[in-house]
Structure formats: C-alpha cells, structure tokens
Amino acid sequence: MIRGDQHSCCPIGEVPKRRGLHIKVFPYPEISKDELEEINQFVGPVEKFFNEEVDSKKIDQEAKIPPETLKGLKSLGLFGMQIPEEYGGLGLSNTMYARLGEITSLDGSIAVTLAAHQAIGLKGILIAGTEEQKAKYLPRLASGEHIAAFCLTEPGSGSDAASIQTRATMSEDGKSFLLNGSKVWISNGGLADIFTVFAKTQVVDKDGAKKDKITAFIVERAFGGVTNGKPEDKLGIRGSNTCEVHFENTKVPVENVIGEVGGGFKVAMNILNSGRFSMGSGAAGMIKKLIGSEYGFKKKQFNKKLCDFGLIQEKFTLMAQKAYVMESMAYLTAGMMDRPGEPDCSVEAAMVKIFSSEGAWTCVSEALQVLGGLGYMKDYPYERYLRDSRILMIFEGTNEILRMYVALTGMQYAGKILTEKIKDIKKGGVGTALQMLASKLRDSVGRKVDLGLVGEGGVTHCSLEESAKKLEENIYYFGITVEGLLRRFGKTIVDEQLILKRVADTVINLYGMTATISRASRSISIGLHNHDHEVLLTNIFCTEAYFKNNYTMTQLEKYADENLDDSIKKVAQQVLEKRAYLCSHPLDRTF
Amino acid sequence: MNYVRKLLLARELAAGLGILRRAAPRRDFPQLQGLICAQCFRAVPARSIQSSAIRARAELTSSAKSGKEEESRSGALMPFQELFEGDRKGDKDKASFTRAVEIFCQRDIRRRGHVEFIYAALKKMPEYGLERDLEVYNKILDVFPKEVFVPRNFIQKIFTHYPRQQECALHVLQQMEDNGVTPNYQTKFLLLQIFGEKSRAIRKYWRIMYWFPKLKHANPYPVPDPLPQDPIDLARFTLQRIAADLSAKVTVYQMALTDITDAGKEITQPHIVGIQSPDQQDLLAHHNPDRPVFVEGPFRLWLKKTCVYYYILRGDPLPPEEREDVIDPERNFYCPLSLDLDLDQGIWDDEEFDVDEVVEGPIFAICMAGAGDQNTLAKWILGLQHTNPVLSQVPVVFQLTPGPDELPLATDSENGEEEIPQSQHAKQEL
C-alpha cells in the first residue's frame, strides 16, 4: 500500500502501479480548516515561548536546560504531543506533530530532549503497549512528570542485535526479570524515570532449541539498580543530557514486557522507523529562520550590498530550495502516515531523514558563510546551529545505514515483482530476447514516457509540465536500471554498498521531485500566496535532480566509464592494509 | 682468466728479459725506503703505460723469483698484498684501506700497475668490510689517471680505447652493482674524466642509474640491513613479518637469562617472544574446550642469510556442521542483511576468480623461543593464558619435531648407545 509512493520509485511502467501513484501522492495531503485553526492555536504560544523565554546561548554554554524552561515546556503540553487525549496528552496527528516540530527545532537541545522523550522513549508503550501499561505510564509521561529514554545502544552494539550484552534472566518464581548490563549514549539518561530497555532473554524455540532473543522492557528508575554516568561533553546539542546508564540486578516485573518475550526486535524496528519524518520539518524550520538574516543587506563592499553579489544570491536560493523540498517531503510523509489504515511509511521517513540531515548541514554552513568571519564568532548563533545540525546525520540511524535500508527495501520489493521476468530473460528465450532488443531500440531513439502525470487527465498543473515530464522520464529509466541491477547481481547486491548508495540517492531525489511537484500543483490550483515562487523552486530542484539522477543512473550501467567503484575499492584496500597514507613524500629521492 | 693471461705473459717476458733486468742494477728511491715492498719501481722514460705495466709485471716476477719461488707465484697472482695487510695493530678498517690506496697513488705519478692494484683492492674489500661503501669505490676509481683514456679521434672512438682499463672500470662498477651500491655524481664525474662520454664504463654507469632507482622499492617486504642482532629484537621483527597484521601485539614472555645459583649450578633461561592479534584472540575465545589445540614447530624462516625458527599454536578446522552460514533475519535493527529473492548473480557478471581454498584450521598465536623443548613452550602457553583464559580448559597437545639444536645430540646418544654394547662385547670377550 505504502508502495503507492514506492511505486513511483520502483516502477515497471505497469498500469496498476500508475494508478497507485496517483492515489497516494497526488493530490498533496491536506488537513481540514478546523484542524488548521486548531494547530495554529497551538503554534502561537509555543512560538512565543521559544522566542522569549528560551535562551539558547545559555543552554549551550552551560550544557544544561534550566528547570524553568523544562517547566514551561511541560505546561505547554509539549511532552505529550502524540499521546492520546484520554491519557492526558495532546493527541496530535503526525502532521500537527511535524508542524510543532518546526518550532521546537529552533533550539537543538530542546528538540532532541523532546524527541528522545516522545518520538522514541515512550513510543514503545504507545505502539506496542497493553492497555494496563498505557494507563499506568502514559498520563505521567504526558504531563512531563516522568521523562522517558530509549536504551538500545551499547559500547559493542550500534545496529547489531546479536552483540547486545545486556541480559534479562527470569527469576525462579517466574514473576520478574533480573536486568544486568549497561547502555551508552542515552539521551535524557540523567533526567529520565522511565526507560525502554532492550535486553537478551533466553527463549525456547518451537523446535525446543534454546535461543537468545531480544525483549523490550519498561524499566522504572524506582525499581532500583539503575545508575547513570556523568553527562557527556558533546560538540553540539550540549543542553541535551547524554550519559551511560547501568543496570545492576534491576528487578523488572513480567507485566512490564512490551509486546512479547523475544519480540523486542520488531518493537525496536517499529519505534525507530516511526520517529524519523519530523526531522524534515524541524530542519526546514531552522533554515527558514536562517534565511531571514539581515546581514546580507547591512554589509556593503565596493559600494554594493552583499546580497547583490551572485554568489551570495546563490546561497540564499539554495537555502530556500532545500527548505521547500524538506517541508514538502516531510508533510507528504506525515500526510500519508495519517491516512486511515496505518500505512508503513518507513522508507519514506528514512528518505526524509537522509535528505533533511544533509540539507540542513549544507544550508547552515552556507548561511554561516554569508556572514563570513562574523558567522564564525560565538556572538552569533550560526556556529551553534552548525554544531547542533551535525548530529542530524549521525543519530536516529546514520545516513549510511539508512541509505542501505532505503535501497534494499526497494530492491526487495522490486525483486519480488521482477523475479519472473528476469528468470525468463536469463533462460534466453528468443521471444524475450527480441522484446528486449525492440525495447532498447525504442529507448535509444527517444521514448516518450507517459505515466499520466501531465496532459489530458493529468494530475499536475500545466505550469509544472516540464518538471513532471522529467520526473516521468527519470522514473522510467530508473525502473530499467533497477531491473538491470537485479539481473546482474540478484541476491548478492546486498554486499554492493556503493551501488546501493547510488540507488538510494536516486530514489531520494525522485521522492523529492514528486513531493515538490505535488505541493506546487496544489498551491497553484488553490491559489496560495506566492505560488509562482513555489513553481520556480520546484522547477530548479527538479532540473537539478533530473540531471543528477541521469548521471547516477549512467554510473550504474555495466562497465560504465563514469563508475569508479573498482578503483575506489582498490585504493581503500591498499590504504587500509597499511593503515597509512602510502604515497612517498613529494620531496623524496631514490638516489 | 685475467690472472692466467698475466701469468703466461709474465713468464714469457721474464724468460726473455729477466736476464737483462738482472744485469742492470736496481736503484731504490729514498722515499720508498720506508716501505716494505717486494716490488720496486725504476724510473723509466715516459712511455705508454701499457708497456710499462707489462714491464712492471715482469719486474715483479723477476724480483720475486730472486726470493721464494712459491710465494712469488702467489705474489704474481695477488700483487700489492703488503699494502693491504692492515695496520700494525692488525685491524682492517676504512682508514687503513684508504691509506693503502693513497700510498699507491702517491708512489708513482704514472700510476703504473693501477689495473692490477684496482683488481687487488676490489678483492680485498670484503675482508675490510667495505663492499657497501660508495666513498671507497670512488677512491678506487680515482686511482685511474685522468683524461689519458679519453678517445681523441674517430678511430679511437670506434674501437674500444684502452680496453683493459675499461674492463677494469666495468669490474669496479659490477662489484658496486652486485653489492647494491648506487653510484653518485662523483662517480659520474670521475668516469667522465677518466673515460669520456660514450665509453663502456660510463654506459654501464648509466645503466646502473636507470635500474637502481626503479628497483629500489621493488620489494614490498624488505628485510632491514643489517638484521637486528639482539635475539628479542630479531624475534619481534620476524613475528611481525609472519603475522602481517598491524593490530597484532608482540609480548615478551621471558627474557634470556643465565644465572648462577648459590649452589654454583648454572640456570639458563631461553627468551620467549610471542605474537597474537585481536582476531586470533576472538577465535581462541570461541574455540570449543572439548577440542584440543596443537603446538607445532619449529618451522624455518630465512631472512637473507639467517635462519630463524618459530612455533605455532593452532586448532583443527571445524567440521562442516558447525560452520555458521545462516543469516539471522533479526540481526540488524536498521536495514536488512539479506534479500529474500530467488535471483542469483548472473553468470556473465561473476567476476570473482574460482579459487580452490584449502580448508585450514585457525592459527591462534605464534612464538619464537631460544630453546624448542616442551618446558619452554609450556611457559609460553602459561603466558598466553593471561589474555586467553580459555586455554586453561583446553587440552594442549605438543607436536614438536626435533629442532636444529637437538639433532647432534640425537646422533651422539645413538653413538653412545652403540658404543655401550660394543664395550660390553669387548668386556665379555675379555
């Protein structure tokens, strides 16, 4: 289902897929007028709070969020944004959560504290908890009386489930577990009272074999044996409390198991996959604030204002464009997730996270560059934004591993559909060979791709015709490329990370193009303010992405000259063998 | 070959001219009186040096003949022996060698017999330990008189001018090449001055200068020259070379020690140096305690001219049932580790070579010890237990072949055994 948009990313040009594309992605998801008014009522006070009562510089310097600020956040209800109203929370939908995320991200430390609390810390109880667990814990978590933390990472285990050392052993009476182990880099570790801990338990298989499987537990600090180390001294988000958490013979009652014993892996995956999309709106909010800097107008060189120089103008355009794409992607994903039926938008969320984290890093860097030397000084907030935005590429799944996730999930889906076709081709029947030949000829001559986006009965506005045509062409050729890759590699593509990275990059660009075209189309149709500006931004982004995609897809051909993977791997192997830079110094002599 | 030719020529000339020479009185020059030299040179009118060289040789043989016959024969083959006998103290070093060369150069302005002198010097260099020294080679090349051998007209250019001298210079350069000495600019200028451009000697120089820089770093695993003398340093270098893993750690379990106890008994302790990398430690930690590990050795490794011996601790390869190949779908929190597809890699796209790998068991650690007996190696295993506690439970089997030290003992005892029954026989007979 979610493959509605996945279809846009792994299309085979078949008709049912086209229809799917239209239903899910076009038109751009909207919220009703009442909901919009409701959310704007929330937005007002929160913005006021952040502008007046949050001193980001002080938080950064002291590496602590002052208790008054925390109290203010709690009173605004920001600690229970997604908790249903019956448990005392705000019960906001994903879209509204994303909207508020735009404001909370004005201060990185506060945003991370809130995210660690609700996007991952208590999500487990929300998604997979029983009614009793929800009733017991959610009210106090919503009010902020208790803060939650998510404890998965250990010194030896980041994404590897098999290397988790924390153990939970069943007691003799079978009523509780004894938890032993330590977790590292836990956000809110020092403040939290409720932890979602993942530990290894011994489970008896249906075959009777004993295996170690991961289980999720709700652990209260009151259970005893929970200690935390000192707060880590970080580069950015210094106000957020990050520390080690140690569990020593902590007694956890059996009722506190989330899901079932041995089912912790699925719980972990669901939690991790559901919180990512809000990074898009958060990063967009931050960039929108940075675009508003007046420095470009104040500073003059050679009797010209800075903003009259082309290079500076290019930077502002980049920021505007990236912010637009991030917003579009984030709200599109949130809208799709809000649809009834609980669709699985994990791939889209991952794509939003990758694009937004990298976009935020480049945009903040460019904004700092506009200010030149002043941007480097601590008196201005740009260096703090830069340091805070660096973590975006690392936490919630590093961008590298998320690219693999996006690419592999897509390949899995495409592979299921294409297996039959590829097997036919490999068997080498005359019919299929002729078909392929004809297809290749038509492609080389210049095929007209029509996926129904433009023209009669098309879903996009005619001002976006060119961009939509580029998108269609990219989709079509991407489908062919994916088919070719599966034919060449089959299952073994799991090991070809450099190829998967290119696939992921293409998919992310395609998703961005889809989101922007969809949103711009809606803007023109309704007549939103400055919709022609949106069309401009869409066209710029789509053209850039179109050419980048074409280049990437050329690199994915077999024996392409543009593909330097073999040389890269060779150099890497030589350098890593000696663990040093290998070249002789330029001044060396042999005689 | 040169020596044989010289000897034959010398004998011929001696036969003819020796009588004449003996008739004429010999005159010693005052500056030569300080030297103990069998050969004395007469001042002769300036002639081409070749003929004077022949004469010098003839004089050599004739004067030697007046002395002892056998020594004269060896003297003809090894001229200038006394120059290279070294200092009165008897130590042969660079200073005495260069002094010998200087003495020869100052002796005669025409440098008679320089070719034989150079050959003799080349032969003596290994004794003085100077075969890798470029300065000494330059000094030897300096012995040649300058600008005499440079060809001046086109006939001289066509035919190798002064072939004997050129060949001599080629031998010098060849010895340089054999010992891996790269000549420098001084060598080039010397050769240019002596033989001019386009001579065979200078061409050989250019060939050396082409190949030596190219091949200088040809060996990806060079052995340092000279090898470390200290057995522990040598062991450290060898083990790092064998292990070829930059994360491997070398540990010295025991230093070599000779001790005399109060009772007067001598206790010797051989050195034990071992190496183990973190990967090997992991493998050993996962080793099943029911299976034994084997200590094998000694294995030989040649480093240039030194033979070193090392011992390994290894395990047997796991039987096929126990090798883990299954990928757990619940392994990675963030992305799938394997695709659930029925597609394999295309046959045309498989660019891996079909390597027939022999299944070998893991090697857990390597060591080098001063003695190869079970007690020493047991101490090594005890030392390994500190970092690999599983070794205390795993049975260790020693499969040691007799090392190089033990073989003579074996033959002795055999002889002893054989002798004992013989003596018994003798006793019985008596």
Side-chain angles (χ1 to χ4, degrees):
Chain A
M1 261 204 329
I2 165 278
R3 305 313 170 194
D5 195 72
Q6 194 57 23
H7 293 199
S8 81
C9 309
C10 300
I12 340 289
E14 283 158 33
V15 173
K17 308 298 182 295
R18 252 168 56 198
R19 289 283 93 90
L21 178 78
H22 304 165
I23 298 171
K24 308 298 181 208
V25 180
F26 292 92
Y28 198 74
E30 283 189 327
I31 53 175
S32 66
K33 193 153 184 227
D34 299 324
E35 279 180 44
L36 186 59
E37 275 178 14
E38 200 186 313
I39 194 73
N40 282 336
Q41 276 181 349
F42 275 122
V43 163
V46 176
E47 252 181 358
K48 191 159 160 260
F49 179 75
F50 270 84
N51 285 333
E52 290 170 16
E53 289 176 50
V54 169
D55 188 357
S56 301
K57 189 163 170 190
K58 192 160 149 245
I59 295 178
D60 184 65
Q61 263 173 352
E62 294 181 6
K64 203 171 119 84
I65 303 180
E68 311 89 54
T69 320
L70 276 178
K71 225 170 87 179
L73 292 168
K74 286 174 195 173
S75 63
L76 282 168
L78 292 176
F79 273 75
M81 284 194 255
Q82 285 199 292
I83 299 181
E85 283 171 346
E86 63 221 29
Y87 297 109
L90 294 178
L92 299 177
S93 66
N94 290 317
T95 319
M96 297 203 260
Y97 176 63
R99 178 67 186 90
L100 281 181
E102 275 187 44
I103 312 168
T104 53
S105 71
L106 289 175
D107 184 75
S109 315
I110 295 182
V112 168
T113 308
L114 290 175
H117 167 78
Q118 42 190 337
I120 43 177
L122 51 85
K123 230 2 157 19
I125 311 176
L126 261 185
I127 317 180
T130 59
E131 289 301 324
E132 295 88 40
Q133 287 167 342
K134 286 186 189 175
K136 185 170 172 196
Y137 292 109
L138 287 181
R140 271 180 286 182
L141 286 168
S143 67
E145 197 184 318
H146 285 161
I147 301 186
F150 183 77
C151 300
L152 175 61
T153 318
E154 293 183 13
S157 156
S159 31
D160 190 355
S163 47
I164 290 215
Q165 303 277 346
T166 310
R167 281 212 86 89
T169 39
M170 179 84 90
S171 63
E172 279 90 39
D173 56 3
K175 291 218 179 112
S176 60
F177 283 92
L178 276 179
L179 192 60
N180 273 299
S182 58
K183 301 283 183 183
V184 81
W185 299 335
I186 307 302
S187 298
N188 295 349
L191 308 169
D193 294 297
I194 314 274
F195 301 88
T196 309
V197 184
F198 292 84
K200 278 252 174 84
T201 45
Q202 211 174 50
V203 169
V204 181
D205 232 358
K206 49 184 188 297
D207 303 330
K210 287 203 184 142
K211 269 192 170 164
D212 278 340
K213 287 211 146 165
I214 300 196
T215 314
F217 296 96
I218 308 176
V219 178
E220 293 179 40
R221 200 182 273 269
F223 290 160
V226 180
T227 47
N228 49 288
K230 66 171 186 34
E232 308 268 5
D233 196 10
K234 302 186 289 290
L235 169 69
I237 53 166
R238 290 169 59 80
S240 149
N241 177 296
T242 313
C243 57
E244 292 176 3
V245 180
H246 305 280
F247 299 98
E248 216 178 294
N249 284 331
T250 310
K251 206 161 151 204
V252 184
V254 176
E255 298 85 45
N256 275 23
V257 172
I258 304 182
E260 47 179 53
V261 176
F265 185 82
K266 285 254 156 18
V267 174
M269 270 191 68
N270 288 337
I271 299 177
L272 290 167
N273 286 340
S274 62
R276 291 196 183 113
F277 68 96
S278 64
M279 198 182 283
S281 57
M286 183 173 62
I287 298 176
K288 284 192 281 194
K289 182 158 181 239
L290 292 175
I291 293 183
S293 96
E294 300 155 344
Y295 186 74
F297 293 94
K298 280 194 257 176
K299 174 103 176 190
K300 274 189 161 194
Q301 289 283 272
F302 323 117
N303 258 336
K304 262 168 98 169
K305 289 190 211 149
L306 265 194
C307 49
D308 289 334
F309 291 101
L311 287 175
I312 306 291
Q313 291 171 341
E314 192 184 358
K315 291 186 208 297
F316 279 98
T317 310
L318 177 77
M319 288 198 273
Q321 178 202 79
K322 285 253 156 61
Y324 183 69
V325 181
M326 277 187 229
E327 271 183 333
S328 319
M329 285 166 85
Y331 284 105
L332 177 61
T333 316
M336 283 203 287
M337 281 165 76
D338 279 339
R339 285 218 176 87
E342 295 209 18
D344 174 24
C345 294
S346 48
V347 177
E348 280 78 2
M351 291 197 268
V352 170
K353 193 265 185 189
I354 298 172
F355 187 87
S356 319
S357 52
E358 295 183 350
W361 177 244
T362 38
C363 286
V364 174
S365 195
E366 295 291 297
L368 195 152
Q369 184 76 11
V370 169
L371 261 76
L374 274 185
Y376 209 64
M377 302 298 156
K378 285 224 170 192
D379 300 325
Y380 285 76
Y382 294 84
E383 55 85 31
R384 190 184 67 240
Y385 279 119
L386 190 70
R387 282 184 292 114
D388 287 346
S389 61
R390 185 61 183 87
I391 192 71
L392 293 177
M393 290 199 260
I394 301 174
F395 71 179
E396 293 225 46
T398 47
N399 280 9
E400 283 78 24
I401 216 167
L402 284 181
R403 283 196 158 90
M404 294 300 115
Y405 172 64
V406 166
L408 283 172
T409 323
M411 284 292 180
Q412 173 79 48
Y413 174 75
K416 282 255 148 51
I417 301 179
L418 291 173
T419 308
E420 284 310 315
K421 191 168 171 204
I422 293 180
K423 281 201 162 151
D424 273 340
I425 293 173
K426 283 195 182 174
K427 265 188 262 174
V430 177
T432 36
L434 280 178
Q435 240 182 26
M436 273 188 65
L437 193 61
S439 176
K440 283 242 160 65
L441 271 176
R442 269 162 68 197
D443 283 343
S444 57
V445 170
R447 171 197 284 270
K448 272 193 144 58
V449 186
D450 183 14
L451 290 173
L453 283 179
V454 279
E456 292 285 324
V459 280
T460 57
H461 195 270
C462 41
S463 331
L464 298 165
E465 190 177 321
E466 274 186 26
S467 300
K469 279 246 158 290
K470 288 186 179 127
L471 176 62
E472 287 183 343
E473 209 185 299
N474 264 351
I475 293 178
Y476 176 73
Y477 283 113
F478 183 63
I480 295 185
T481 314
V482 165
E483 195 187 312
L485 284 176
L486 282 170
R487 197 173 349 124
R488 273 163 61 194
F489 292 100
K491 285 192 289 210
T492 63
I493 202 165
V494 195
D495 303 316
E496 305 284 332
Q497 286 203 333
L498 291 168
I499 291 185
L500 289 175
K501 175 193 109 164
R502 293 193 179 91
V503 171
D505 283 342
T506 318
V507 176
I508 296 170
N509 278 339
L510 288 175
Y511 187 53
M513 285 159 87
T514 324
T516 46
I517 291 177
S518 174
R519 178 178 167 190
S521 202
R522 169 175 174 263
S523 299
I524 310 171
S525 309
I526 328 180
L528 285 178
H529 191 47
N530 284 334
H531 58 258
D532 43 355
H533 185 74
E534 289 189 33
V535 172
L536 262 182
L537 287 175
T538 309
N539 285 338
I540 296 175
F541 175 70
C542 286
T543 317
E544 264 181 25
Y546 171 71
F547 285 113
K548 272 195 224 159
N549 281 351
N550 279 344
Y551 187 69
T552 317
M553 290 191 281
T554 340
Q555 281 181 325
L556 288 173
E557 302 274 325
K558 193 169 179 182
Y559 305 135
D561 281 332
E562 294 88 352
N563 189 333
L564 298 166
D565 286 352
D566 291 328
S567 312
I568 292 174
K569 284 192 192 155
K570 210 168 175 181
V571 169
Q573 189 208 17
Q574 289 173 351
V575 167
L576 290 171
E577 200 185 313
K578 303 286 177 194
R579 296 189 204 175
Y581 177 63
L582 292 178
C583 306
S584 315
H585 197 265
L587 300 175
D588 271 342
R589 293 177 65 107
T590 42
F591 68 94
Chain B
M1 285 308 284
N2 251 340
Y3 291 114
V4 175
R5 249 199 299 149
K6 272 193 242 173
L7 189 55
L8 289 172
L9 266 172
R11 281 197 186 142
E12 269 183 4
L13 286 168
L17 302 169
I19 305 162
L20 291 169
R21 288 281 132 58
R22 245 184 254 129
R26 279 199 283 157
R27 269 173 280 145
D28 282 328
F29 283 88
Q31 64 258 40
L32 300 173
Q33 274 167 1
L35 298 167
I36 318 158
C37 53
Q39 59 276 15
C40 303
F41 297 92
R42 199 181 297 179
V44 285
R47 278 197 211 180
S48 95
I49 299 194
Q50 267 186 329
S51 52
S52 66
I54 298 172
R55 217 183 263 188
R57 248 185 301 125
E59 283 180 278
L60 258 178
T61 48
S62 62
S63 58
K65 266 193 184 167
S66 59
K68 314 121 197 180
E69 273 285 323
E70 281 84 24
E71 270 190 26
S72 82
R73 205 93 1 117
S74 56
L77 285 170
M78 286 293 296
F80 314 105
Q81 199 153 8
E82 306 71 23
L83 270 180
F84 290 111
E85 249 157 39
D87 266 350
R88 262 158 256 128
K89 295 167 209 153
D91 54 300
K92 301 187 160 188
D93 62 350
K94 190 166 163 179
S96 50
F97 192 90
T98 38
R99 216 178 319 121
V101 176
E102 275 166 30
I103 289 171
F104 175 81
C105 290
Q106 285 156 10
R107 203 148 53 177
D108 182 13
I109 189 137
R110 286 177 194 80
R111 310 259 174 102
R112 292 208 180 98
H114 61 274
V115 176
E116 283 93 2
F117 176 75
I118 290 179
Y119 279 126
L122 285 181
K123 248 212 145 90
K124 286 285 180 179
M125 275 171 88
E127 287 173 26
Y128 282 70
L130 295 172
E131 62 267 14
R132 304 281 168 88
D133 200 336
L134 179 58
E135 269 182 44
V136 174
Y137 282 110
N138 284 341
K139 263 212 131 6
I140 291 181
L141 279 179
D142 209 13
V143 172
F144 280 111
K146 312 288 181 296
E147 290 176 21
V148 187
F149 307 140
V150 178
R152 268 176 285 192
N153 59 44
F154 90 101
I155 300 177
Q156 290 175 349
K157 283 182 198 160
I158 298 174
F159 299 102
T160 322
H161 201 46
Y162 286 103
R164 207 161 154 254
Q165 277 78 357
Q166 295 229 17
E167 245 186 73
C168 178
L170 285 179
H171 280 254
V172 175
L173 287 170
Q174 186 62 48
Q175 185 159 327
M176 264 184 168
E177 196 182 319
D178 291 337
N179 286 306
V181 178
T182 319
N184 67 359
Y185 65 94
Q186 216 182 341
T187 326
K188 179 176 85 166
F189 286 136
L190 276 170
L191 290 173
L192 278 177
Q193 270 185 318
I194 301 168
F195 293 107
E197 294 176 0
K198 314 281 185 191
S199 60
R200 287 177 66 193
I202 201 80
R203 264 190 281 147
K204 182 165 179 71
Y205 165 82
W206 283 123
R207 284 193 200 103
I208 298 180
M209 290 313 289
Y210 176 78
W211 286 112
F212 267 44
K214 263 202 205 273
L215 299 176
K216 185 164 181 178
H217 297 290
N219 186 357
Y221 307 107
V223 178
D225 186 44
L227 271 181
Q229 292 299 324
D230 178 27
I232 302 221
D233 285 337
L234 180 63
R236 195 183 291 264
F237 168 71
T238 319
L239 287 173
Q240 278 170 343
R241 193 182 176 82
I242 299 172
D245 190 347
L246 284 170
S247 5
K249 253 184 57 177
V250 175
T251 347
V252 180
Y253 293 103
Q254 203 174 272
M255 302 281 287
L257 198 34
T258 26
D259 219 2
I260 303 184
T261 57
D262 300 322
K265 216 175 123 190
E266 207 180 272
I267 305 179
T268 48
Q269 213 186 344
H271 65 275
I272 307 177
V273 186
I275 192 171
Q276 196 183 38
S277 72
D279 291 337
Q280 288 171 320
Q281 254 180 318
D282 279 336
L283 278 171
L284 190 48
H286 287 120
H287 185 79
N288 190 344
D290 296 333
R291 298 217 159 82
V293 292
F294 303 93
V295 176
E296 290 187 359
F299 297 104
R300 265 191 299 267
L301 177 71
W302 282 99
L303 296 168
K304 293 212 175 145
K305 293 189 182 154
T306 326
C307 184
V308 293
Y309 297 91
Y310 63 93
Y311 304 84
I312 59 171
L313 176 71
R314 71 163 184 90
D316 273 335
L318 292 173
E321 310 88 62
E322 295 193 12
R323 275 179 231 154
E324 55 162 275
D325 268 353
V326 187
I327 297 180
D328 192 359
E330 293 197 350
R331 181 76 192 255
N332 191 332
F333 286 117
Y334 291 94
C335 76
L337 285 173
S338 66
L339 286 179
D340 184 22
L341 291 176
D342 204 8
L343 293 165
D344 285 321
Q345 194 171 34
I347 324 168
W348 303 108
D349 302 298
D350 189 3
E351 284 164 6
E352 293 287 318
F353 293 113
D354 189 17
V355 181
D356 205 8
E357 282 202 19
V358 177
V359 178
E360 272 190 345
I363 295 186
F364 298 121
I366 312 172
C367 92
M368 282 177 65
D373 61 321
Q374 193 156 331
N375 296 329
T376 328
L377 293 174
K379 282 193 204 157
W380 170 46
I381 302 289
L382 280 175
L384 271 179
Q385 270 181 21
H386 290 305
T387 42
N388 305 282
V390 72
L391 271 178
S392 46
Q393 289 137 28
V394 173
V396 179
V397 177
F398 287 84
Q399 289 176 344
L400 301 172
T401 54
D405 302 324
E406 282 124 43
L407 281 169
L409 282 172
T411 48
D412 271 353
S413 61
E414 268 174 33
N415 285 337
E417 276 164 16
E418 276 166 46
E419 276 170 9
I420 295 167
Q422 277 177 2
S423 59
Q424 278 180 346
H425 263 292
K427 279 189 188 159
Q428 279 173 357
E429 279 176 4
L430 283 171

